[in-house]
């Protein structure tokens, strides 16, 4: 833990001096864990997109199957999540800043007035359906305007967000969009998802302050994983977790009529996929493999 | 049926002259039915509001349980209805012009840019939740702007609307809103729901042209009807249908997890209600009672 500024100059001196040394400590050490601890946030994406996703995610949060989740503010079910947040003030809920509307027969638009963010909208008036056209068309200043509007709408709905991240990675897709994301996160004093990378994108991390946590690795199911290998794939990932902070990103839902219709013609991240993720994170097997591999579960709130 | 203008002045003369006499004919006679025919549109409201509502309504349209339906353009499932409309070009689909967003945990906003229709939005940025505050706050020129935007979005989505009506009757709640509705309907050459009334609202009907159909009576379930009396209540209504044009307005859905969540805390027009309406209109009993009472089913397209 960082010491806090309490009184006078001596304390400020003490704050700065250990602060310099603290930079050499690991994220885990700075939070009181062993230097080589394996910290893991288990994170459910896409809350508010559909009732089926909300119901499954609330259940997984309640059961401790996930530690954190994030909310898609422009989606129709925001008030359902706000009601849950009100009833569960300790739930670790962030905002899944949303600049895409990716399903075929079920769409949403911007929170900000359309004429102020026209570059964010496709010809139908909804947010772009894919990261590609979004990254090609979006003006960074309009993205910033929209994500501020999303944060303000969430706060107005009674949500106290614990962190920010980016739906479909749109805000990680261009340096100016990433800069807007970091700037807004800093303005609201919110931790945000930023991942340690080895390629040229690493230079973007220079925008971070020394206090911003960096996630060392992401675990997420991908379309190459066969349905029958779901648990095995996650088990391998848990066994291979390295010391540091990792985030396991899951997409939860019940494989029902609503979610099948939302994800129609799109098996990747589809209805059956989300049921598999839900079944996995709420299973005793998952809890057991975390224990056997000495994984310490943490939340975004721990980094606020 | 009206004769059509085919060639030259003589035909025009013939068209106009019987037209004058036609004003004394009933709506039924003008369409080739006996003067005392009981014409009935069986109409499903609220398409696009939820997948459950769409699935039940499409099924009822396919089975002939309803003859017509109308679509809530600002709602998230518009593209699902557009896909159905494309595959069913003869389906009689109008627009359920929407100026309210009435559910507790599931909301939608305007189609038009928010800052151009700010009087239509509640403090959360969604359409007003009830007809009361909508009627108190809405500026007529902004309502007109919004309903034009809804029609344009539907057309852009590939829908060819057969008629217009008004969700929760907001456009019937003030003379200036009704005037905007009639004006827009005339501009788009679309028939629209207007009901013959005996009270002071009757003077609003002076805005109609001589060709606009007037619905003589509406049949709709209401909260005073007990669940066990559903069929009996409709049966009484069918037996009591008078000669002229009536519309039976039904609200269809499957009583499933999605619809229960959409309609939470709101049994009126809720999930079980919509299941009862669906069960009724798709039942052989309904077909039989229409036949026994010599009811002629018609569609909005017949009045275009």
């Amino acid at each position: 833990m960082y010491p806090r500024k309490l009184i006078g100059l001596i304390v400020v001196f003490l704050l700065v001096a250990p602060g310099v040394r603290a930079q050499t400590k690991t994220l885990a050490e700075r939070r009181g864990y062993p230097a080589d601890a394996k910290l893991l946030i288990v994170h459910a994406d896409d809350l508010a997109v559909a009732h089926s996703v909300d119901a499954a995610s609330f259940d997984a949060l309640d059961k401790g199957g996930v530690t954190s989740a994030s909310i898609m503010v422009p989606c129709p079910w925001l008030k359902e999540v706000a009601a849950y947040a009100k009833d569960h003030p300790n739930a670790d809920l962030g905002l899944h800043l949303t600049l895409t509307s990716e399903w075929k027969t079920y769409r949403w638009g911007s929170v900000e007035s359309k004429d102020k963010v026209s570059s964010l909208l496709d010809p139908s008036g909804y947010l772009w359906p894919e990261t590609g056209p979004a990254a090609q068309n979006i003006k960074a200043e309009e993205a910033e305007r929209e994500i501020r509007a999303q944060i303000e709408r969430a706060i107005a709905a009674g949500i106290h967000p614990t962190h920010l991240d980016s739906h479909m990675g749109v805000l990680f897709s261009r340096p100016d969009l990433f800069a807007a994301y970091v700037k807004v996160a800093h303005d609201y004093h919110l931790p945000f998802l930023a991942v340690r990378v080895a390629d040229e994108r690493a230079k973007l991390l220079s925008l971070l302050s020394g206090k911003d946590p960096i996630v060392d690795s992401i675990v997420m199911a991908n379309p190459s994983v066969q349905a029958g290998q779901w648990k095995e794939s996650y088990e391998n990932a848990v066994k291979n977790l390295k010391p540091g902070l990792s985030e396991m990103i899951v997409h939860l839902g019940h494989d029902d009529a609503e979610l099948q219709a939302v994800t129609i013609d799109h098996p990747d991240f589809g209805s059956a996929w989300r049921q598999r993720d839900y079944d996995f994170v709420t299973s005793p097997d998952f809890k057991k493999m975390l224990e056997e591999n000495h994984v310490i579960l943490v939340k975004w709130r721990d980094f606020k």
Side-chain angles (χ1 to χ4, degrees), chain A:
Chain A
M1 300 285 282
Y2 272 119
R4 294 195 178 200
K5 180 179 172 183
L6 293 174
I7 40 163
L9 279 176
I10 295 172
V11 173
V12 170
F13 176 75
L14 288 172
L15 180 72
V16 174
V20 174
R21 287 203 310 276
Q23 298 306 315
T24 63
K25 288 188 177 179
T26 67
L27 200 74
E29 281 179 295
R30 280 187 272 153
R31 272 147 197 88
Y33 299 111
D36 62 348
K38 293 182 279 188
L39 307 184
L40 182 68
I41 298 166
V42 186
H43 191 277
D45 278 12
D46 297 358
L47 272 66
V49 72
H51 171 70
S52 172
V53 167
D54 290 351
S57 302
F58 298 160
D59 191 55
L61 282 162
D62 292 345
K63 289 176 174 164
V66 297
T67 63
S68 300
S70 63
I71 305 163
M72 297 174 72
V73 177
C75 291
W77 292 94
L78 175 68
K79 294 270 188 171
E80 183 172 63
V81 185
Y84 176 85
K86 192 180 169 192
D87 291 343
H88 299 79
N90 293 323
D92 194 56
L93 299 172
L95 304 184
H96 200 48
L97 300 169
T98 299
L99 300 176
T100 42
S101 166
E102 70 271 30
W103 307 110
K104 193 174 168 182
T105 55
Y106 178 75
R107 307 291 305 274
W108 52 85
S110 57
V111 170
E112 185 51 277
S113 199
K114 280 164 63 180
D115 53 9
K116 289 183 182 160
V117 291
S118 57
S119 72
L120 273 53
L121 305 171
D122 74 6
S124 311
Y126 301 110
L127 295 173
W128 292 102
E130 300 283 348
T131 304
Q136 278 174 347
N137 287 284
I138 286 176
K139 292 179 184 167
E141 68 271 23
E142 294 187 359
E144 181 177 336
R145 202 173 289 155
E146 172 63 19
I147 65 179
R148 286 184 189 276
Q150 292 184 11
I151 296 169
E152 289 300 320
R153 174 172 281 187
I155 292 170
I159 294 164
H160 305 287
T162 57
H163 64 288
L164 301 178
D165 56 22
S166 171
H167 183 55
M168 296 173 72
V170 176
L171 292 164
F172 309 145
S173 68
R174 276 186 1 218
D176 57 348
L177 294 176
F178 187 75
Y181 168 67
V182 174
K183 181 179 160 195
V184 171
H186 284 165
D187 284 354
Y188 282 91
H189 305 289
L190 288 171
F192 56 93
L193 177 61
V195 184
R196 197 179 302 284
V197 283
D199 59 27
E200 62 167 10
R201 292 172 300 163
K203 65 188 174 205
L204 288 177
L205 296 178
S206 66
L207 295 169
L208 273 58
S209 84
K211 289 181 183 173
D212 293 324
I214 302 181
V215 171
D216 297 294
S217 70
I218 294 284
V219 174
M220 192 167 85
N222 68 66
S224 74
V225 180
Q226 300 294 310
Q229 308 298 315
W230 219 250
K231 178 183 142 193
E232 190 185 336
S233 166
Y234 278 123
E235 190 159 27
N236 285 336
V238 170
K239 280 182 184 165
N240 290 320
L241 281 178
K242 300 278 179 294
L245 176 61
S246 300
E247 178 165 290
M248 178 183 283
I249 298 176
V250 292
H251 298 83
L252 309 184
H254 296 310
D255 185 16
D256 62 10
E258 178 200 17
L259 197 53
Q260 287 167 17
V262 166
T263 64
I264 194 167
D265 294 346
H266 203 294
D268 296 349
F269 301 94
S271 188
W273 173 306
R274 288 167 193 251
Q275 180 72 52
R276 288 195 296 275
D277 264 5
Y278 168 80
D279 290 342
F280 174 72
V281 297
T282 57
S283 70
D285 286 348
F286 180 43
K287 191 166 270 184
K288 198 175 159 205
M289 71 179 75
L290 292 172
E291 285 168 5
E292 286 175 354
N293 290 279
H294 311 292
V295 175
I296 297 167
L297 293 183
V298 291
K299 306 178 177 200
W300 275 103
R301 197 190 296 276
D302 300 332
F303 302 96
K304 203 168 177 179

